[in-house]
Amino acid sequence: MGLGRDMGAPVQGAGQGRRRRRALVAAPAGAQRTAIGREFRRAGYALSLVADAAGAAECLAAEPVAMVVCDWALGPDEAAGVIRAVRDRQGPQGCSFVLAIIPLETPDEATAALAAGADDILCTPIVPLALRCRLAASERLSNMADRLIASTRGIEEMLARLQARNRA
């Protein structure tokens, strides 16, 4: 299906220089995907909506994403493949929060989603408050990852300066 549409307005109140986090929603077209997209737009994400694993792979190859929502309605094998592709494409400092949308009361589906690499699950029908809670958790984790990456870079730079000084 190709790359999804980039949707959403800039983050309200975001400081200058702050990039909007990107999110990918891999789900069949319909009311549920529309509702998920609405919550992401409200949260200020730059959003790509795709309807299949091929679209998800194309989106993941184009740019890293902070959060991925994968609807099990794509089909269990296809959805698990999307989740594995997210995990496979992450570099050593990559940190995408992956949320799997599964049918209510399907423990086997939940187990399969978590085994594929999902961080959390959300059962249908989706309750908007529950999705907003997952978005908030993803944002906190992304912020922590950003700080950790910045700290690691600072330590590496300091080490390089110390090593250069010792060689001199």
Side-chain angles (χ1 to χ4, degrees):
M1 289 271 167
L3 280 178
R5 301 184 293 148
D6 184 13
M7 303 181 68
V11 175
Q12 297 292 325
Q16 292 223 334
R18 179 177 173 198
R19 282 183 69 216
R20 285 192 299 171
R21 296 201 193 279
R22 292 203 59 80
L24 167 64
V25 176
Q32 181 166 282
R33 187 172 87 171
T34 300
I36 292 169
R38 186 179 318 114
E39 293 301 327
F40 274 92
R41 285 191 303 278
R42 285 183 183 153
Y45 280 81
L47 182 61
S48 294
L49 298 171
V50 299
D52 57 22
E58 190 176 335
C59 183
L60 291 168
E63 189 171 6
V65 293
M67 185 169 185
V68 176
V69 175
C70 186
D71 192 333
W72 221 247
L74 292 175
D77 292 337
E78 189 167 353
V82 168
I83 294 169
R84 282 191 295 275
V86 171
R87 295 299 178 222
D88 291 345
R89 289 181 188 270
Q90 292 183 148
Q93 295 181 340
C95 183
S96 296
F97 185 88
V98 179
L99 178 64
I101 307 295
I102 63 166
L104 185 62
E105 298 181 12
T106 54
D108 290 343
E109 308 281 349
T111 300
L114 295 170
D119 295 301
D120 198 359
I121 59 168
L122 191 58
C123 294
T124 56
I126 294 175
V127 176
L129 178 59
L131 180 57
R132 285 191 295 272
C133 290
R134 279 16 179 250
L135 284 167
S138 173
E139 185 67 20
R140 281 191 300 278
L141 290 171
S142 291
N143 288 338
M144 286 189 297
D146 290 347
R147 287 191 304 273
L148 180 60
I149 290 167
S151 295
T152 300
R153 284 186 186 136
I155 291 168
E156 289 169 348
E157 289 169 6
M158 176 72 74
L159 179 60
R161 285 194 302 269
L162 289 171
Q163 288 172 336
R165 189 176 296 164
N166 285 339
R167 283 190 295 262

